[in-house]
Structures are given as C-alpha cells and as structure tokens.
Amino acid sequence: MKLKYVGAKPVVSGRGVEFDESHPDSYTFLNAAVELLEALEGVKENETEVMLEISDEKTYNAATLLELLKKFCTNIEQVFATREEETGKLIDTYISQVKEKTNITEDERKAWLGNISIMRDYYLQYITNENAYKCALNAIVEKLYHSGIQSVTFPMGRNYGLVVSHLTPLFTSHVPPYDVTMSIEERNGFPYGKLEMNRPKPLNI
C-alpha cells in the first residue's frame, strides 16, 4: 500500500474524464495534518491553552508520511484494508447508474463503462489518500480530546487552517460529542486560527 498524489475527484462520462476541483485529493492536506500531530506531541501535560508555532516547516515525501501515520494512527492498517472494498462498491455504483440510463446510446454506454474501468486505479488511490487523511484527522481529535486542551492557536498557512476546519464534524460525532468554534486573528501581521473546544460538563451522579 502506497500514498501518492493523484489529483481531484474524477468525473467520468461517455465523452471522457474531467476532474472536480471542489473535491481535491486528500493527499494535499496530509503533510499539514502530520505536522499538526507532531506539534501536538510537544504539548506539555495539563496545558489547557496551546500555541502551536510550527517554525520548522517540513515537506515529507509519501513514504515518510506513511511511516508517520503508522506512528500516530493506531488502526492505520485496518483503515487501509477497506480501500479495495470501498473502491469496488464505488465502481459498482457508477456502473449501475450508467446501465440504468435511458437517454444515451449503446455506444455511449459502452464508452462510459470503459472509462469507468480505465479509472479504477485512480479511484483506488484517491480513496486510499482519503482514508489516510481521515485517519490523521481522527488522530488529531483523539489527541485533543484526551489531552484536556481547551484551545489551540495555530498558523493558518500551509493548509493548517483547512485541516483544522475539517475537524469540526469529527468533534460533533465524537462519543461523547462536543462543540468547537474556530476564529481567525492576526499576530505580527500573520493570520492565525484559534480552535476552542466547548467540552461537556461531567454529569453529577
């Protein structure tokens, strides 16, 4: 299993393949996610308000990203084990949709199905990268949840802001769930984000 950049989500038709730039390849965000995980490793115990200064910005190659994910994500192998099945289900769905179309010719249908088949390896890598990124996001959430941190301030550049914004639904679906708020402020002329965690109060039993 390898990580590598493939590009935006493909949109296949009987005419060929286009790419939906509104659904970028998750590989784009993996480097920033791993850097944030590394920065959180340096947080002192019982520290509730954290300022992440990522001064030593790193650009990891795909192999190093995978090794670091294995370090931070305890279930990384299980996550990746589902990628073949997920890809198969996705392709089966696309094939069924094409077969059910009544407004295309048989030649168009044949070309469409052929294009889906050609893109199988692309779909597989796209889903692999997506699963790796989800694993990294969940690792960040678990790190924050178990640390007792109340707020994290971080630089917005290099996709850090986008990665943190992707955490919000994971906090909502966490057990127990809790709300987070994200704001942007300026420090020394540079934009910084602040993630505040509104932890649920313990029940009085």
Side-chain angles (χ1 to χ4, degrees):
M1 199 284 302
K2 294 181 179 180
L3 295 173
K4 67 176 181 179
Y5 178 79
V6 287
K9 188 174 183 178
V11 180
V12 178
S13 70
R15 296 179 299 276
V17 181
E18 297 178 348
F19 297 91
D20 184 356
E21 298 298 335
S22 66
H23 290 83
D25 184 354
S26 295
Y27 187 92
T28 305
F29 310 115
L30 269 176
N31 201 101
V34 167
E35 283 187 277
L36 289 169
L37 281 166
E38 288 185 308
L40 288 169
E41 285 280 281
V43 173
K44 297 177 182 178
E45 191 175 351
N46 300 322
E47 196 172 354
T48 57
E49 295 187 5
V50 174
M51 175 70 179
L52 297 182
E53 287 287 4
I54 311 175
S55 55
D56 185 18
E57 296 175 346
K58 304 167 186 174
T59 301
Y60 293 118
N61 61 34
T64 303
L65 282 174
L66 182 55
E67 288 306 309
L68 288 168
L69 284 173
K70 289 178 180 178
K71 171 186 174 182
F72 292 117
C73 305
T74 55
N75 64 333
I76 189 73
E77 296 301 334
Q78 180 182 350
V79 169
F80 286 145
T82 64
R83 68 195 187 103
E84 291 277 0
E85 181 181 356
E86 289 179 50
T87 302
K89 287 182 178 179
L90 180 67
I91 289 174
D92 287 345
T93 298
Y94 289 157
I95 289 174
S96 295
Q97 290 171 349
V98 174
K99 287 182 175 179
E100 291 170 2
K101 289 182 179 294
T102 58
N103 59 342
I104 60 175
T105 67
E106 285 308 309
D107 285 343
E108 286 178 301
R109 196 185 316 278
K110 184 178 179 180
W112 202 323
L113 293 173
N115 288 336
I116 292 173
S117 178
I118 289 170
M119 293 300 292
R120 186 189 184 284
D121 287 346
Y122 191 109
Y123 286 127
L124 179 62
Q125 191 61 56
Y126 184 89
I127 288 174
T128 299
N129 295 344
E130 188 174 55
N131 287 356
Y133 183 52
K134 287 178 182 176
C135 203
L137 290 178
N138 278 297
I140 295 173
V141 168
E142 291 302 318
K143 180 72 175 176
L144 291 172
Y145 182 80
H146 293 293
S147 67
I149 293 172
Q150 299 289 344
S151 70
V152 180
T153 302
F154 54 91
M156 289 291 291
R158 285 175 58 88
N159 287 324
Y160 304 131
L162 279 170
V163 170
V164 174
S165 72
H166 295 161
L167 298 176
T168 303
L170 299 180
F171 281 111
T172 304
S173 61
H174 195 279
V175 180
Y178 57 98
D179 295 327
V180 294
T181 55
M182 182 173 162
S183 56
I184 300 175
E185 57 190 46
E186 188 175 299
R187 292 181 175 230
N188 300 318
F190 294 97
Y192 278 77
K194 186 174 185 179
L195 184 73
E196 296 180 272
M197 283 144 283
N198 307 311
R199 296 178 180 272
K201 295 180 180 180
L203 297 174
N204 294 321
I205 300 176

